[in-house]
Amino acid sequence: AAQDLDIALISKGFQHQFWQAVRMGADQAAEEFGVNVTFEGPDSETQVDRQIDMLAAALARNPDAIGFAALDSQAATPLLRQAQEAGIPVVAFDSGVDSDIPIATAATNNLAAAALAADKMAELIGGSGKVALVVHDQTSRTGVERRDGFVNQIEAEYPDIEIVSIQYGAGDHLQSTEITKSILQANPDLAGIFGANEGSAIGVVNGARELGRDDVAIIGYDSGQAQMTAIREGLMAGAITQNPIGIGYETVRAAVAAINGEAVEEEIDTGFYWYDADNIDDEEIQAVLYE
Amino acid sequence: MSAAISNPSPAAALWATGAQKILAFAGLIFLVIGFSLASPNFMQTSNIISILQAASVNGVLAVAATLVIITGGIDLSVGALMTFCAVICGVLLTYMGLPLPIGVAGAILAGIASGLCSGTFVAKLKVPPFIATLGMMLILRGLSLVISGTRPIYFNDTPGFTEIATGSIVRNFLPFLPIPNGVLILFAVAGITAYILGRTILGRYAYALGSNEEALRLSGVNADRWKIGIYAMAGGICGIAGVLIASRLNSAQPALGMGYELDAIAAVVIGGTSLSGGRGTILGTLIGALIMAVLINGLRILSVAQEWQTVVTGSIIILAVYIDILRRQRAAAA
Amino acid sequence: MSAAISNPSPAAALWATGAQKILAFAGLIFLVIGFSLASPNFMQTSNIISILQAASVNGVLAVAATLVIITGGIDLSVGALMTFCAVICGVLLTYMGLPLPIGVAGAILAGIASGLCSGTFVAKLKVPPFIATLGMMLILRGLSLVISGTRPIYFNDTPGFTEIATGSIVRNFLPFLPIPNGVLILFAVAGITAYILGRTILGRYAYALGSNEEALRLSGVNADRWKIGIYAMAGGICGIAGVLIASRLNSAQPALGMGYELDAIAAVVIGGTSLSGGRGTILGTLIGALIMAVLINGLRILSVAQEWQTVVTGSIIILAVYIDILRRQRAAAA
Amino acid sequence: MTPLVSMRDIDKSFPGVHALKSVQFEVLPGEVHALMGENGAGKSTLMKILSGVYSKDAGVIELDGKSVNVTSPRQAQELGIGIIHQELSLMRDLNAAQNIFIGREPRSAGNFVIDEKRLNADTAKLFAAMHLKLDPKVQVESLTIAKQQMVEIAKALSHKSRVLIMDEPTAALNDAEINELFTIIRQLKAEGVGIVYISHKMDELKRIADRVTVMRDGEYVGTVPAADTPVEKIISMMVGRAISDEPPTIPDLKDAEVLLEVKNLNRGREVQDVSFSVKKGEILGFAGLMGAGRTEVARVIFGADSMQSGEIFVHGKKVSIKQPRDAVRAGIGYLSEDRKQFGLATGMDVAANIVMASVERFISPLGVLKNKEIRDTAREYIKQLTIRTPSERQETRFLSGGNQQKVVVAKWLLRDCDVLIFDEPTRGIDVGAKSEIYKLLNKLAEQGRAIIVISSELPEILRLSHRIAVMCEGRLTGILPGGDTPQEEIMRLATQRASATTTPANGRAA
Ligand SMILES: Nc1ncnc2c1ncn2[C@@H]1O[C@H](COP(=O)(O)OP(=O)(O)OP(=O)(O)O)[C@@H](O)[C@H]1O
Ligand SMILES: Nc1ncnc2c1ncn2[C@@H]1O[C@H](COP(=O)(O)OP(=O)(O)OP(=O)(O)O)[C@@H](O)[C@H]1O
Ligand SMILES: [Mg+2]
Ligand SMILES: [Mg+2]
């Protein structure tokens, strides 16, 4: 019976490892609860309208529940209302939806997570010096929140740290590599760089390695094998990880509960963690990392 | 005149062109039937409307691209220009609080202005259209971010703005068929452009430019001016697309539109317009845009895994065009 | 045969072509001087090497695109094919644990196979190159995700793999000039391709195809077969680009490569190759790729805000091509 | 003697056109067999079937008495059938040598690398044998049509074919080059090569052909010996009626208004200090050898190329012409010598091309086209110029060469200019149509227009011109009276400086 339940997850991205980890968590839950889950997302976090089309197609399928990570909450509101009218429960994930329609939200607090990265950066460079950011996107919510979370924390707490450059590499590893190299070239005395998502972080590591700069403190975001290796090898000081598998899992779990008419927790904080060479092998951390 | 020339009866000729036109839809009909059989959820009013709506922005952009392609050029800036116009609209309505018609007019004028630039680069400075519009694409992409302050601009203060694309005038007359206005706008833009291409001097010169620009010039026509005019018209249509997408998202997203140019051009080419210029129709472009929208929607409805969706889309695009080529060959041989 | 044909002395002619060639670099030199004056950090060995390295992947892709464009076609699949070949390389080396040369050969063969497909679609099925390679782009993009299991594949088990692009043989001889191998590979690929274009039958027929395909056919040449051969060669070069990028990132990233096709084509066109086919040089393409790399690097070094970087890049691309057009007109008039 | 080639009952249809109806044709070894017929008679189509470009719908082709099936150009080449196509089919971006040996490049190093040295040397040899002074490495794009035609001929000769088809090889050549070509043809004849010769120039028949086959409307009319059949007979076989050919009656234009006056026109080497005037009702012929600069003068006057210095007066008023539009506004029309490149939008239909220069006349105030009027006008001109086309909606690229030319003529007739410049107006046009165009030009002059005719065919110049301007190497070397001016006088002015070919001009200029 439950096997016939159809849950459509519309995420913000697809190919990136973070989203694949979310998908993995969703698949785990799907297996556990015996439901069908589909997972889709646009090619980049700027494609708001493509995501709307995906949501519309998912609605046309008439699923039993929808999981949605909004690129832009407002743009999706009419369709979400349509879902509500059709009695399809909506679970928001990743970064929430500004609306009262979702019955639950499984998300990371990106602002707080990036602020933690800023604290760690300050600690690593001794509270003063120049730092730069390589961010994946200039307009998307995750990009903006991680940038602002980091920048605001630095500005508020560490007056001796100067942010000299913020550039955007679309999360493309190669582009982020080139960006990092030019930042280092332009600022030979740079003390640290923050890469705001997986692709950006790996690009930062690559760029520093290609220029032979092992004196720069690098902080990453999310996980993936490359970042984990970089942390173990000492190229990267550490990174913030969310709990993508948990996000995916919780989203599906909440959806199933809602379909079955059970009560669901409204705010499911999936949390974020700092990990570095010291704690990377801890069980608690390993549980939230993905290869 | 030689007796060898066969003169089929007018009725037969009419029938032949009719059949010809229907057959041009073959790929589309084939897809629709296929998906209808595969999933009961496909052939439903609400889904058909979703498809039309998904086709509307790409369709309008494709109409703009068709104009330029017919002159033998190419327009890579359509997506970026759409976004730029949406941002302009947002600035006028939300930041400056001007009334709605001014916002819409401003977006269209911005499109025309940008088209004038591209057209001038191409016609006067002789920069190849690919480069001129690639440059414009980058410039507009940057300017959209600059003007908007890299933030989406919301239209919450302009009531009725979302109605432009998502409201439905049709519903008032046919309650069971709530076709959104955005779709009507697509058909209106397509219809008007088809008329202009087929029946006016601008259209005539567009085809002549693509067919043999030098011959047109040597016929004493100010070819450059007309070419600029066509780019400007294409720009204006992108402005309409900008309003459409802004209205649909109730916001101007300054980073939107990357890669949209290829989708638009794909719709044009699937619709049978030649990239070397001189030939092409708006009807074909419309069909091309619909084929793409149906395909993607259908695969989603069938819950095909996303990585396979891409593979299937690519294959079907090639196949659709190949079938169209075969059909033409048959038609020419018959 | 009229006396109007002037016959300048060979020396003068040589000088004229020499000057001509140098002038083709004008845009590049202009940019380099400009940035050097603007920032002391620009003109440094390490940065020049960074620029060369940044140009290497795009440069190799642009060389592949040049081949196809000279035949009068266009190749939108170069970026996706690069990624696909990188993934194939990863599957062979990491998943199957085969030795390094087999992985590299496999990537190049995968590229050639894909080129054979595109070429067959274009030459045999008469699908327009734009559509055939757009379709291939989507197919390859999807297949890369499918084959890799939507995960990056790391080359940690293949020691020496990263050396392919990031190691430096030159350093052994010139310790102060650690030019990475990736840059050497770019120059090698460009040199060999230039030789093939200029001196072999394949090259001759590439130009002939772009110039007047029908005439080539009427001359009794199996135009289709040669065209397929050229697409295959372009595919093989994309395979090399795939190895290059995989080596540089020490991983095959299955989602990489979007938008790379436009960058590659832009480099080709900035380098003076005509999109209508029949003319173009690899040297020009190299310069085009370098202009783009210098421009972006320089703007970043100057810490120009990213949104303005895009605007400036767009303007300079248009300007560079416009200056090149003026230069040619002068040269033709003189 | 077994014929080298024998074609029987050949049938071919195109969409809407039955181009060949059970046609027969044969060539003997060592024979020059002329194939004649009006524009659109099917000559080119028949030869394209023989050379493997088109496939036949029905019929037999025999080579040396054995039935063969020619399916591709390559196979035709292997069978020893070579062809010079009517429409130039060179690769613009390659040089002359590369064009000539395309597909047969001499190779070195593993059969893949081209031996460019030998390629150029072989080409140079070929050119020398043709007495052609041309650099093998010259880009064909930079050559005039005439020189491109010579390259085509060189290419066909290099094949050493047993059957050589020449589809209007002389359409763009001057007398010296035609003589050179004929020498080559005689040489080939002596070697036993069979030659198919297509031309609209009647005088060439007597000089070179052994037999003549005439076609009309896709049908075989008959084959006659060239020597003892009067030209009139052949013409009447072609058109089904006789055509008269009277010299011009030169009107008295002493008091006529000067419509166009050109003073000290200069543009590089091609146009040096050219001054002349044309009166209302006058036909001024422009004679000269290939590359003399006549086309360039016309293009400069028309604004297609910019002038370096000079003045142009229309109706006595000085006009500034910067682009063709200015010229057309001033009442000047120009019919280009290269219709494909400059005259026609070949992808558009006949009606669109005819009204191309006058669209503004067929629009409502809002810019909407009056399609019915356009159609009627097009039909009128199709009838007037007997343009052979299934309808005014046929794309011009499907028309035969001569009919395409007529479409361009129609375009300028419709535009109704005061001054009309016709550059090689009858290139590739059959005798019937030619005499119609002559009549037309005369009528236009009588209506009070000023006409300039540029032609490389002296008989045409003599037949039409009221005055004859002669050019040589960019200079106007003299203006002669029309009527009975001897050809020698024209040729003397046309060759006042260095000749076009390596051998001295004497005896070849006749
Ligand atoms: N590819 C084609 N498609 C359609 N019609 C064609 C095609 N080629 C030739 N025709 C038609 O076939 C007929 C014969 O044309 P062809 O070119 O053989 O004439 P021609 O005798 O060579 O004339 P000309 O002296 O003008 O060159 C014409 O009516 C022409 O319009
Ligand atoms: N667009 C051009 N570019 C370069 N050279 C040109 C161009 N047009 C003409 N020429 C050259 O100018 C000279 C004059 O050519 P033009 O065509 O005016 O001569 P013509 O008398 O009309 O001869 P033809 O019989 O070849 O038409 C020739 O040497 C020709 O090569
Ligand atoms: Mg012919
Ligand atoms: Mg001429």
Side-chain angles (χ1 to χ4, degrees), chain D residues 107-379:
Chain D
R107 308 178 189 183
S108 61
N111 215 23
F112 198 59
V113 177
I114 296 171
D115 186 347
E116 208 82 22
K117 258 204 198 116
R118 224 175 85 207
L119 181 70
N120 290 327
D122 288 355
T123 309
K125 250 186 266 165
L126 203 60
F127 285 167
M130 294 169 66
H131 298 290
L132 188 63
K133 195 162 89 186
L134 202 61
D135 181 0
K137 283 186 280 199
V138 67
Q139 215 70 20
V140 300
E141 187 186 30
S142 67
L143 297 174
T144 54
I145 298 197
K147 283 182 206 161
Q148 291 185 16
Q149 185 66 269
M150 293 306 276
V151 172
E152 269 303 359
I153 292 169
K155 178 175 171 183
L157 291 178
S158 73
H159 275 284
K160 314 232 174 303
S161 315
R162 298 174 56 215
V163 183
L164 185 54
I165 304 160
M166 300 186 173
D167 196 347
E168 300 197 31
T170 56
L173 300 191
N174 68 21
D175 287 348
E177 288 147 349
I178 292 174
N179 286 334
E180 208 54 67
L181 179 66
F182 284 180
T183 313
I184 296 165
I185 290 180
R186 290 196 188 98
Q187 209 172 310
L188 292 172
K189 235 176 103 154
E191 291 163 15
V193 175
I195 289 164
V196 183
Y197 191 87
I198 302 178
S199 174
H200 290 294
K201 299 182 181 173
M202 288 298 157
D203 56 314
E204 290 174 356
L205 284 189
K206 295 282 175 193
R207 292 173 58 194
I208 198 73
D210 298 310
R211 286 196 293 167
V212 181
T213 289
V214 176
M215 290 176 66
R216 187 165 68 222
D217 287 347
E219 278 173 284
Y220 173 78
V221 176
T223 304
V224 293
D228 21 312
T229 314
V231 170
E232 291 70 31
K233 166 93 190 301
I234 295 172
I235 291 177
S236 68
M237 282 170 80
M238 282 166 59
V239 299
R241 67 198 141 92
I243 287 174
S244 64
D245 196 31
E246 75 274 16
T249 40
I250 298 174
D252 178 19
L253 296 167
K254 243 187 269 131
D255 306 324
E257 178 200 3
V258 173
L259 257 185
L260 173 75
E261 178 156 25
V262 174
K263 280 189 189 159
N264 309 103
L265 209 59
N266 274 295
R267 180 183 162 85
R269 277 193 308 260
E270 285 85 50
V271 182
Q272 301 171 26
D273 207 28
V274 170
S275 307
F276 66 90
S277 62
V278 205
K279 288 182 171 171
K280 198 170 166 160
E282 185 179 36
I283 300 179
L284 176 67
F286 261 77
L289 298 180
M290 179 182 77
R294 296 160 298 168
T295 297
E296 205 44 52
V297 168
R299 284 179 60 92
V300 171
I301 294 174
F302 190 62
D305 289 326
S306 60
M307 67 170 80
Q308 273 155 3
S309 65
E311 292 172 312
I312 298 170
F313 300 85
V314 180
H315 286 299
K317 269 205 303 267
K318 188 172 169 187
V319 289
S320 148
I321 294 176
K322 297 222 168 58
Q323 47 169 331
R325 178 161 190 75
D326 303 332
V328 173
R329 282 230 171 108
I332 305 173
Y334 170 63
L335 184 132
S336 154
E337 64 182 336
D338 185 345
R339 58 174 171 264
K340 268 230 170 124
Q341 215 183 331
F342 300 124
L344 282 177
T346 49
M348 300 180 80
D349 64 22
V350 173
N353 273 288
I354 290 179
V355 300
M356 181 87 83
S358 335
V359 184
E360 277 147 355
R361 228 187 282 166
F362 295 95
I363 50 174
S364 70
L366 274 176
V368 177
L369 298 171
K370 297 176 182 159
N371 277 339
K372 190 176 172 312
E373 282 177 38
I374 291 179
R375 199 168 57 229
D376 293 344
T377 310
R379 284 187 180 156

Side-chain angles (χ1 to χ4, degrees), chain D residues 40 43-45 86-87 167-168 198 200 400-402:
Chain D
K43 308 176 294 289
S44 299
T45 305
Q86 176 179 15
E87 305 299 336
D167 196 347
E168 300 197 31
I198 302 178
H200 290 294
S400 80

Side-chain angles (χ1 to χ4, degrees), chain C residues 1-4 6 195 199-202 204-205 207-208 211-212 215-221 277-279, chain D residues 53 73-74 77 89-93 98 102-103 105 107 112-114 116 132-133 141 155 177 269 290 500:
Chain C
M1 45 180 67
S2 96
S6 67
Y195 181 83
R199 303 295 307 278
T200 71
I201 321 244
L202 189 80
R204 179 62 41 85
Y205 293 163
Y207 286 104
S211 196
N212 189 341
L216 184 67
R217 220 179 285 278
L218 290 181
S219 303
V221 174
R279 56 187 64 206
Chain D
V53 179
R74 160 131 271 174
Q77 272 177 23
S89 53
L90 294 174
M91 281 149 277
R92 299 163 50 81
D93 303 297
Q98 292 169 346
I102 193 83
E105 293 83 358
R107 308 178 189 183
F112 198 59
V113 177
I114 296 171
E116 208 82 22
L132 188 63
K133 195 162 89 186
E141 187 186 30
K155 178 175 171 183
E177 288 147 349
R269 277 193 308 260
M290 179 182 77

